[in-house]
Amino acid sequence: MRIYKEFGFEAAHFLPSAPEGHPNSRVHGHSFRAVIWLDGKVDPDTGLVMHFERFLQEIERFRVMLDHRMLNEVEGLEHPTLENITMWLWDRMKPGLPDLARIEIHRPSCHEGCVYDGPEDK
Ligand SMILES: [Zn+2]
């Protein structure tokens, strides 16, 4: 059974790998939307994979590390691409969310996003 929780964060970044003069090489901001998926068994006593309140608590620890930040200054996010943000979140969320199955990061205003299913994913 899969359950998910969404959250948004606003953040600035630039991409050090972008060619000089490219807009992505300059500081700019995005409204990001993240979707965190768990894949677990339904506890027959509670009828839940996980209490959403506890799920939210785990997510919140990391949302505050990204929201209203300059992502390049966040430790481990020196190259804050969508791909690196999903892997950054995965590595930090997995210990507290063992059923973590998928992380999506969307940039709705750009109509683009990234989906990561963990280290076995390509
Ligand atoms: Zn950008």
Side-chain angles (χ1 to χ4, degrees), residues 13-15 24 26 28-30 32 80 107 110 112:
H13 76 162
F14 66 92
L15 300 181
N24 286 346
R26 298 191 292 274
H28 60 280
H30 294 286
F32 294 91
R107 248 184 330 229
C110 303
E112 59 199 17

Side-chain angles (χ1 to χ4, degrees), residues 6-115:
E6 292 188 24
F7 66 96
F9 61 98
E10 314 282 329
H13 76 162
F14 66 92
L15 300 181
S17 59
E20 206 180 314
H22 191 280
N24 286 346
S25 70
R26 298 191 292 274
V27 174
H28 60 280
H30 294 286
S31 296
F32 294 91
R33 191 170 64 83
V35 190
I36 312 300
W37 289 86
L38 304 183
D39 188 355
K41 288 202 165 19
V42 179
D43 182 325
D45 294 330
T46 62
L48 298 167
V49 172
M50 184 182 199
H51 281 281
F52 275 99
E53 202 171 299
R54 208 174 86 58
F55 191 4
L56 181 62
Q57 284 170 357
E58 285 294 323
I59 286 173
E60 186 62 13
R61 294 166 52 203
F62 303 102
R63 189 194 65 80
V64 297
M65 294 168 77
L66 299 175
D67 189 41
H68 286 75
R69 305 283 177 183
M70 176 64 179
L71 295 178
N72 302 67
E73 295 171 358
V74 175
E75 197 183 335
L77 273 183
E78 290 77 14
H79 292 263
T81 59
L82 286 174
E83 292 87 335
N84 283 340
I85 298 168
T86 60
M87 291 189 287
W88 184 93
L89 279 171
W90 182 282
D91 291 344
R92 282 152 186 82
M93 286 182 166
K94 186 72 176 170
L97 295 170
D99 289 337
L100 184 63
R102 168 170 287 183
I103 293 179
E104 302 175 29
I105 305 278
H106 300 263
R107 248 184 330 229
S109 63
C110 303
H111 307 285
E112 59 199 17
C114 179
V115 178

